[in-house]
Amino acid sequence: MAEREHPLAIVTGATSGIGFALARRCAENGFDLVVADEEPAIHQAAKSLRASGVEVTPCEVDLATVEGVDAVCDACIGHPVSALLANAGRGLGCAFLDQDFARIQHAIDTNVTGTLYLIQRVGRQMSDWRRGRILITGSIAGLTPGTYQAVYNGIKALLDSFSYALRAELEGSGVTVTCLMPGATETEFFARDAKPGSQEHSPEEVARIGFDAMMKGEGDVVAGWGNQLRAAISHGAPPVLLREQRR
């Protein structure tokens, strides 16, 4: 593979919020970027990121599909990927029986199927190259039963668990896996379901914590002391208490 002047990073869900903040953190630290999202605004995000003096390739694709993920990988052909920041995600609110199943399916395909397919494709290249960094945006939501967020919390539980397992499988390979576990963040994603005033951290702060952990090769990081406390409580509290608290 051809060497670039700068290392290459892929960031998904990079139009706004944590994803855009992660992409900007990469750009400010000298990474060229392939940024992906299904929103047309990804092109404006790419234009903004180029202000850091790096090369940015936007991919307006549906990351819930194999074709969309393949398009992201095709944008990297000929260049090794040094970092993959798998951040794309879809949330769902209200009770499970009241949700439209097409939205449930799209959330699963985006957060799980597309994300795991992308990680496998890029991870195989990293493993062959014997170096690389993978950051997966999980959530502290994956540690508790998600009353009125049953599908979302279940998805995040899978991603949290998957990241720990993949890290163990890749130990000694030169490829690190980091799970970023934010809580409520000041983004449009969380604003739809969070109570007023419950957002604790800016996306920039969450991205800084996640990026630094990825670069250090840490296994997981919970963003914010309040979330660290919730994560600790979740390990010891009875499930019935956790689900009632969420309800």
Side-chain angles (χ1 to χ4, degrees), residues 21 55 62 123 194 216 221 229:
E55 183 178 333
D62 185 354
K216 293 175 183 176
V221 59
L229 178 61

Side-chain angles (χ1 to χ4, degrees), residues 19-178:
F20 178 76
L22 284 169
R24 184 161 59 187
R25 180 67 59 170
C26 287
E28 290 172 348
N29 283 270
F31 283 88
D32 286 338
L33 290 165
V34 171
V35 291
D37 205 307
E38 66 179 24
E39 303 293 337
I42 192 64
H43 299 283
Q44 182 58 43
K47 182 179 179 180
S48 176
L49 292 165
R50 291 188 188 107
S52 295
V54 297
E55 183 178 333
V56 184
T57 302
C59 293
E60 183 186 341
V61 296
D62 185 354
L63 292 164
T65 67
V66 168
E67 294 78 13
V69 172
D70 284 341
V72 174
C73 294
D74 289 347
C76 306
I77 286 178
H79 303 285
V81 178
S82 296
L84 168 60
L85 295 86
N87 173 79
R90 289 288 169 186
L92 295 165
C94 77
F96 174 72
L97 297 183
D98 296 331
Q99 292 169 352
D100 177 72
F101 194 77
R103 291 191 62 215
I104 292 173
Q105 186 70 61
H106 190 250
I108 293 171
D109 286 344
T110 302
N111 296 27
V112 179
T113 309
T115 295
L116 266 57
Y117 178 48
L118 178 60
I119 291 171
Q120 187 182 66
R121 283 208 57 181
V122 176
R124 283 174 171 170
Q125 174 243 287
M126 288 179 171
S127 181
D128 291 342
W129 195 36
R130 297 200 62 79
R131 55 177 168 164
R133 306 176 189 278
I134 298 173
L135 177 71
I136 300 171
T137 301
S139 175
I140 63 167
L143 304 177
T144 60
T147 310
Y148 297 107
Q149 280 281 26
V151 174
Y152 178 76
N153 283 43
I155 285 169
K156 289 302 184 180
L158 184 150
L159 290 176
D160 293 348
S161 176
F162 169 79
S163 69
Y164 304 147
L166 182 61
R167 178 179 177 84
E169 290 181 11
L170 291 174
E171 187 174 357
S173 71
V175 181
T176 61
V177 180
T178 301

Side-chain angles (χ1 to χ4, degrees), residues 17-18 21 184-187 199-208 223:
I18 294 172
T185 308
E186 295 169 359
T187 66
Q199 293 91 349
E200 290 191 356
H201 301 283
S202 69
E204 291 77 18
E205 178 65 9
V206 172
R208 181 192 65 77

